[in-house]
Amino acid sequence: VSNKPLSPRELRLWHAFKLMGDEVLARVGSDLEKDAGLSGAEFGVLSRLRGMGRGELRQQHLADSMHWHKSRLSHQLTRMQERGYLERRPAAEGGVMVSLTELGREVLEAAYPVHAKSVRAHLLDRLSSKQEDALVSISNRVTNPEEED
Amino acid sequence: VSNKPLSPRELRLWHAFKLMGDEVLARVGSDLEKDAGLSGAEFGVLSRLRGMGRGELRQQHLADSMHWHKSRLSHQLTRMQERGYLERRPAAEGGVMVSLTELGREVLEAAYPVHAKSVRAHLLDRLSSKQEDALVSISNRVTNPEEED
DNA sequence: AAAGATTGAAGGTTCAATCTTA
DNA sequence: TAAGATTGAACCTTCAATCTTT
């Protein structure tokens, strides 16, 4: 890979890309915080617990699915446990099982529509259907460059 | 804007988008940290000081150009000042003037090739030229939906 | 009062070191 | 020993409150 200075065109692309990511994440995060009382990270954890595990998951599995380091997840779960959103207990297979509390479920249900609306407003509704397709294929290629498209 | 549940297709797009942003930023940040000793934020500040202002800029101007809140920039500049990368002094026009130190310049020069190589490796070289065009137009539309394309 | 900047506290993230248990 | 998880310190981000100068 070359390390020559980025051309103006390359620089523009990089800045536009970074700005888009920063802004969309910040806007969705702040809608979620404001209208559902959850951070983006909290919503991610809760929705995975519900969607992937019907309410509970092994901590390791959760960390992998979020592409998070274990210590990041551990700190995050500690805070969420203090807020009453989830519980942890030793898992039969070893490791730790994480499960939603009743409060966690309620907060998550209330957050879904807020999240959906925000993602539409700040990303989905701004794209043509061609752009949607292009964005999917770009994301796949960038995240996982070996695979065929 | 609708707040109905996101469809599987919408969810996939959202997750792919978020993952791409997270991964690229994390990879470039960690290359920069590892090979140049700078965080992404520090590189952003230093390179703007050099590129936009030939070495110095008003703090407010810098904040605007990074789309940062003033308090974020203030904390960041305090840390960078402690590390000897820059100086602050009252500006003639009011406000504060920020300028690169000699050390700041040196560290930045050493970081440029690391940054360029990393951005190519993790983003630019993974895109076809059609995808580059598409990504620019997507970024512009998402960041600034009112404007024509 | 308004503009520009700083501060402190609380929350979030990373890294390396440590603990625990199979 | 290795896998899984936790901890503490350092750093970063956000928010609201405050300070300073015009």
Side-chain angles (χ1 to χ4, degrees):
Chain A
V1 180
S2 158
N3 67 1
K4 290 204 299 279
L6 295 173
S7 70
R9 174 183 158 78
E10 289 175 315
L11 258 185
R12 265 197 305 280
L13 177 50
W14 170 248
H15 284 141
F17 173 80
K18 206 147 74 65
L19 184 59
M20 168 171 69
D22 289 351
E23 298 260 279
V24 173
L25 267 287
R27 288 170 187 169
V28 173
S30 105
D31 286 347
L32 222 37
E33 193 72 61
K34 179 164 51 65
D35 297 331
L38 286 178
S39 70
E42 289 175 321
F43 179 80
V45 168
L46 295 177
S47 62
R48 274 175 181 80
L49 284 175
R50 213 204 65 165
M52 300 180 47
R54 304 202 325 284
E56 56 177 35
L57 272 182
R58 290 193 57 200
Q59 187 164 324
Q60 161 102 54
H61 188 179
L62 187 53
D64 292 345
S65 84
M66 302 189 75
H67 301 262
W68 278 16
H69 290 182
K70 54 186 157 60
S71 89
R72 177 177 180 179
L73 181 61
S74 184
H75 284 302
Q76 182 69 49
L77 293 182
T78 298
R79 291 187 297 264
M80 292 178 70
Q81 204 169 4
E82 282 161 3
R83 283 164 206 154
Y85 296 157
L86 48 83
E87 292 169 347
R88 284 193 273 193
R89 63 174 193 285
E93 317 86 339
V96 171
M97 183 67 68
V98 185
S99 58
L100 284 176
T101 59
E102 200 43 45
L103 176 61
R105 273 180 205 281
E106 286 167 13
V107 170
L108 176 61
E109 292 308 320
Y112 273 126
V114 174
H115 179 257
K117 181 173 177 176
S118 181
V119 168
R120 288 201 177 92
H122 300 305
L123 180 69
L124 303 177
D125 287 1
R126 299 183 178 199
L127 301 174
S128 70
S129 67
K130 274 195 179 169
Q131 289 180 320
E132 290 180 7
D133 294 341
L135 191 49
V136 168
S137 88
I138 288 170
S139 302
N140 290 339
R141 183 89 74 91
V142 168
T143 304
N144 213 331
E146 299 78 31
E147 298 199 352
E148 301 297 315
D149 209 11
Chain B
V1 180
S2 158
N3 67 0
K4 289 204 297 279
L6 295 173
S7 70
R9 175 184 158 78
E10 288 175 316
L11 258 186
R12 266 197 305 280
L13 177 50
W14 171 246
H15 284 141
F17 172 80
K18 205 148 73 67
L19 185 58
M20 167 171 69
D22 289 351
E23 298 260 279
V24 173
L25 268 286
R27 288 170 188 169
V28 173
S30 103
D31 285 347
L32 223 35
E33 192 73 61
K34 179 165 51 62
D35 298 330
L38 286 179
S39 69
E42 289 174 321
F43 179 81
V45 168
L46 295 179
S47 63
R48 274 176 181 79
L49 285 175
R50 214 206 64 163
M52 300 179 48
R54 304 203 325 283
E56 56 177 33
L57 272 181
R58 290 194 59 200
Q59 187 163 324
Q60 162 102 53
H61 189 179
L62 187 53
D64 291 346
S65 84
M66 302 189 75
H67 301 262
W68 278 15
H69 289 181
K70 54 189 157 61
S71 89
R72 179 177 180 180
L73 182 61
S74 183
H75 283 302
Q76 182 69 48
L77 293 182
T78 298
R79 291 187 296 264
M80 293 179 70
Q81 201 169 7
E82 283 160 4
R83 285 165 205 152
Y85 296 158
L86 48 83
E87 292 170 344
R88 287 193 269 193
R89 63 174 192 285
E93 319 84 340
V96 170
M97 183 66 67
V98 184
S99 57
L100 285 177
T101 59
E102 200 43 45
L103 175 60
R105 273 180 205 280
E106 286 167 15
V107 170
L108 177 61
E109 291 308 320
Y112 273 126
V114 174
H115 180 258
K117 181 173 178 176
S118 181
V119 169
R120 288 200 177 93
H122 301 304
L123 181 69
L124 302 177
D125 286 0
R126 300 182 179 202
L127 301 174
S128 69
S129 68
K130 273 195 178 169
Q131 289 180 321
E132 289 179 8
D133 294 342
L135 192 49
V136 168
S137 89
I138 288 169
S139 301
N140 290 338
R141 183 89 73 92
V142 167
T143 304
N144 213 330
E146 298 77 30
E147 298 200 352
E148 301 297 317
D149 212 10

